[in-house]
Every structure is written in structure tokens, then in C-alpha cells.
Amino acid sequence: MDEHRVDIGEAAALFGLSPATLRWWERTGVLPPPPRIGGRRRYGERELRRVGLAYLCCVLGRMPLGSAVSVVSGNDGPETWRQAVTDQISRLDRELDELRTARTYMTHLLRCEDDDMTDCPYLEWEVRAHTPRGRLPHEDVVAAARAAGTGASPYGRDTGRTGHRGPRDETGDGAAGSDATPPVCRACGWALPTGPRAGRPRVYCSAACRQRAFRTRRAGA
């Protein structure tokens, strides 16, 4: 037995993985097959380092396997795998924005002084901005629900998953065909909160959208 190599069980245990995970990464092309001795996989220092890289990308970096292939397999050039890493960073940035927004809501719920959260004006604005209800020009929630159920909204029924925003005009300044529709966020197209606001009018529905728009402008500069 080669004293400088380990079997698949030991290689997987080094990173807290199962042997099945290493086999799956091989089948999907993330890991190149290691040398075999007597028909059994044997991992030396180089192979173990590549398993570690796969762990960093797929487990800690949450990279999709299709993208991790470019980074870990060693088959692609620097430009290809660097682009895969750049794309993953962009995905993680979007997830971070969503998590920060979610944390903002949860923190407000914890600190809100209203006895019943359904009476909170801040959350009322946010519900209008970030749910399909924002497409409906009805102040009365019962009337809005009735319009949504009968397809009487300006855009008809939802055609996809919850949160589908429906069509808007090409300028992005408002929804098509209805003066009653509230203004929309310049970044994501969701209806803006309609509550009182001091200073300049809102153009973004959240800090996350403001940051996203800033990054887009900076990337295009």
C-alpha cells in the first residue's frame, strides 16, 4: 500500500464529507477521477488539495456544481474560472441584499410598538411594495382581494410564482396603462411605498435596491 495516499473514506473524512459526495463530484465533473490502485481510488496530496478546493466552492461558497466544474476541475483557463467566481459573487450579493431586507423586516417586527402587527403602517407600505397586492389600486384590502380573485386588476391574474410583478412600460416610471397605479422602484419595478415621506420622493423601494442600482451604474461606468 502506498503510504503517501489514502482511500476515499479517509479523503472524505478529512473534510467532513461522505464518500458518496466525492463520487458524485466525480460524476458531475467537479473532481477529476483520482488514480486507482488495485481498482480502488487513492488520494495523494494533490488530489486532497483539489477535494479541499471543491469543498470551499461547493459547500462554503455555495457554488452550483455546473459553475464549480470550471474552478475545481483544472480543465478551464483562468479567464473561464475567474468569470465563474465573479458570477457566483454576484449571486451571493443578491442573496445578501435579500437577507438584509428580511432582517430589516424581522427587526421591525420585534421592535414595533403596535400591539397587532397588521396595524403597522410601515409594514402596510412594505406589503404594497413587495407583494402582488402592490399592482392593485384598491385601498380597501377586501376590494383588492376581490379584484385579484376575479382577474380585475389592471394586469389580470398572476402568470407565475408569487411576487410576479406584471408588465410595466419601457421607461420603468410606472405600470402600463393605469394612472392610478402607484410609482415603481427604478431598480426592481415593484410599487413604491405610498406613506408620508419627508424630503425628496422615493425612487427605490429599499436600501437593497438602492445598492443594486449603484452597483449597476458603477459597472457600466
Side-chain angles (χ1 to χ4, degrees):
M1 179 179 292
D2 188 345
E3 295 182 356
H4 299 289
R5 292 183 177 273
V6 297
D7 63 26
I8 190 172
E10 293 167 321
L14 179 62
F15 300 101
L17 302 169
S18 69
T21 299
L22 300 194
R23 296 189 189 97
W24 174 246
W25 285 350
E26 278 187 38
R27 288 196 295 271
T28 55
V30 175
L31 289 176
R36 288 178 180 257
I37 300 176
R40 298 173 66 85
R41 294 173 175 83
R42 303 294 292 171
Y43 295 79
E45 181 176 347
R46 187 171 185 80
E47 289 78 25
L48 290 173
R49 288 181 180 275
R50 200 170 292 279
V51 173
L53 178 58
Y55 182 92
L56 292 176
C57 290
C58 299
V59 179
L60 296 185
R62 303 175 64 178
M63 181 175 280
L65 293 181
S67 300
V69 170
S70 296
V71 184
V72 182
S73 67
N75 296 328
D76 294 329
E79 290 187 3
T80 300
W81 68 255
R82 287 181 186 277
Q83 184 60 54
V85 172
T86 299
D87 292 343
Q88 178 63 7
I89 291 172
S90 296
R91 282 191 288 267
L92 293 173
D93 282 340
R94 290 193 294 271
E95 291 181 16
L96 285 170
D97 287 342
E98 293 171 359
L99 289 171
R100 290 189 187 101
T101 299
R103 188 181 190 282
T104 297
Y105 295 153
M106 295 299 101
T107 301
H108 180 81
L109 286 173
L110 189 62
R111 299 175 179 174
C112 185
E113 296 180 357
D114 287 284
D115 292 335
D116 186 340
M117 299 301 177
T118 61
D119 296 327
C120 175
Y122 172 79
L123 292 182
E124 166 67 14
W125 304 331
E126 294 296 293
V127 164
R128 282 183 173 274
H130 297 292
T131 71
R133 182 189 160 196
R135 303 198 317 270
L136 303 169
H138 301 273
E139 292 293 333
D140 178 3
V141 293
V142 174
R146 184 173 294 115
T150 58
S153 80
Y155 311 122
R157 292 178 183 272
D158 265 346
T159 57
R161 62 180 177 82
T162 300
H164 176 71
R165 295 186 288 273
R168 64 173 192 254
D169 63 16
E170 293 181 355
T171 65
D173 291 329
S178 176
D179 293 337
T181 303
V184 298
C185 173
R186 291 183 181 177
C188 70
W190 290 63
L192 290 171
T194 57
R197 174 183 172 85
R200 292 180 296 178
R202 291 179 185 267
V203 294
Y204 301 110
C205 64
S206 66
C209 277
R210 187 181 303 109
Q211 293 168 1
R212 187 177 300 116
F214 171 75
R215 287 198 301 270
T216 300
R217 291 196 300 271
R218 186 172 58 182

